[in-house]
Amino acid sequence: MDTAGHSEAPARRGLELTPFRGLRYDPDRVGSLAAVTSPPYDVVVRPDGLHHLQSSDPYNIVRLILPQAGTPSARTEQAADTLRRWLDEGVLTADPEPGLYVYEQRDGDGMLQRGLIGALRVSDPEDGLVLPHEDVMPHVVADRAALMRATSANLEPLLLTYRGDGPASAATLAVERAAAQPPLLSTTTEDGFTHRLWALTDPDELAAVQADLAHHQALIADGHHRWATYRRLREEHPSPGPWDYGLVLLVDTARYPLRVRAIHRLLHGLPVADAVAAVEDHFRVRRLEVPLAEALEALADAACAGNAFLLAGDGAFHLLDRPDPALLARTVPTDRPAAWRTLDATVLHATLLEHIWHIPEDSPAHIAYIHDTTATVTKAEHDGSTAVLLHPVREEVVRDLARQGVTMPRKSTSFGPKPASGLVLRALDL
């Protein structure tokens, strides 16, 4: 049985990470484990990336996390039907006993990340246990909630970070001991990352890990909409119960620092020429006839001195920096700390999107949020739209604002590497 939610919880001083019976692909029933994985639902570049994943294997997890049908209700029904069929056919099978899962990601450039996958008790921001740093879009939460209700499953873990107590802590020792053993699975995805998974099932080891984590708080690195969905669904279902918990990957960034990257914007229907013309009186604008890598270096240099953005979509790059201080004073809200008011994402949303370009930030018809830099530029050039490229924020800035209870503009950061979807799922009725 999934132990999450089936007994009264102890007094909560910190994080409560609970074992569960993971659903995993039977490697004998699929082409390869790599072929059935996907990036998280909001990282898949649509439609090209979606079509590529769908064609890679008939059992690719994207058919559950991004079902394709004519209406929202048809999409969620399709995902639920697909999940039931895969369970009936034995494509997905439940592990025999509950456990926490040690998950490792490694690439060829020396990046190594390890963490624990488990069912985390859902808490509210005022509890101070799981700190959000970004706002969410209600329509995305509604979409994820409908999908989780229909499937009665957590289909992919969100990414949380915490600051551990050093190499002798129980959680660290458990992770490193597991990583020295043969894994349950190992696969290399087409992005060059090798993924390995182990299960922790020993009761004494699990108790030690849980006691260690009970002294910590976590930062949501990736998955704000899914965490908000967990909170919504918890309120809809009786407690105690399995909906009191949600699937997460918890990484100790004192030991395994994450990469922090920006999330870029694609402004549908706004040609670059119009975007540039609208800002020329308010920012310094420089046209760069250079490759993308050099343009990003110029953006990084400009960002050291203040707010800076890179526009693309017409075959060149346009570097915006040195915004008019009077314009910022008029457009940026003053009720937040200086660290928030000076964020590039704050200036982008409050000044550029709202006051200069008049683009609603929560309208998919007007704006898309894309993690991949090259894909953002390519789509802008193909569509005749404007790509807005941002420079990433440092993790310490994100954490400090979160501890103050200050949320950043939505889609401000991209922490990674993100867990691959499809390696372990959580069914709420097991």
Side-chain angles (χ1 to χ4, degrees), residues 19 54 89 125 172 199 218 243 320 325 333 427-428:
Q54 286 177 326
E89 295 174 355
T172 296
W243 295 93
L320 278 55
L428 277 76

Side-chain angles (χ1 to χ4, degrees), residues 117-128:
I117 295 177
L120 185 70
R121 179 175 281 275
V122 178
S123 59
D124 295 315
E126 56 267 26
D127 297 329

Side-chain angles (χ1 to χ4, degrees), residues 170 172-181 198 205:
T172 296
L173 290 173
V175 166
E176 302 308 325
R177 277 196 300 266
Q181 303 300 315
W198 299 262
E205 187 170 47

Side-chain angles (χ1 to χ4, degrees), residues 309-327:
F309 309 92
L310 203 59
L311 306 188
D314 62 351
F317 296 97
H318 306 266
L319 181 61
L320 278 55
D321 66 353
R322 299 186 183 178
D324 176 8
L327 174 67

Side-chain angles (χ1 to χ4, degrees), residues 123-132 231 234-235:
S123 59
D124 295 315
E126 56 267 26
D127 297 329
L129 300 181
V130 176
L131 306 176
R231 291 178 54 219
R234 177 197 58 181
E235 298 305 315

Side-chain angles (χ1 to χ4, degrees), residues 158-215:
L158 53 87
L159 176 61
L160 304 183
T161 72
Y162 76 106
R163 305 291 289 180
D165 295 327
S169 68
T172 296
L173 290 173
V175 166
E176 302 308 325
R177 277 196 300 266
Q181 303 300 315
L184 291 175
L185 66 84
S186 178
T187 190
T188 300
T189 46
E190 61 181 18
D191 59 3
F193 272 90
T194 297
H195 308 260
R196 297 199 297 169
L197 194 75
W198 299 262
L200 303 180
T201 57
D202 177 77
D204 292 337
E205 187 170 47
L206 290 172
V209 170
Q210 290 175 301
D212 180 0
L213 296 177
H215 299 283

Side-chain angles (χ1 to χ4, degrees), residues 19 31 44 56 70-71 73 105 139 160 188 228 261 285 291 326-327 408 428:
V44 175
S56 66
T71 66
S73 61
Q105 293 165 278
H139 74 276
L160 304 183
T188 300
R261 292 178 172 148
V285 181
L327 174 67
M408 299 169 65
L428 277 76

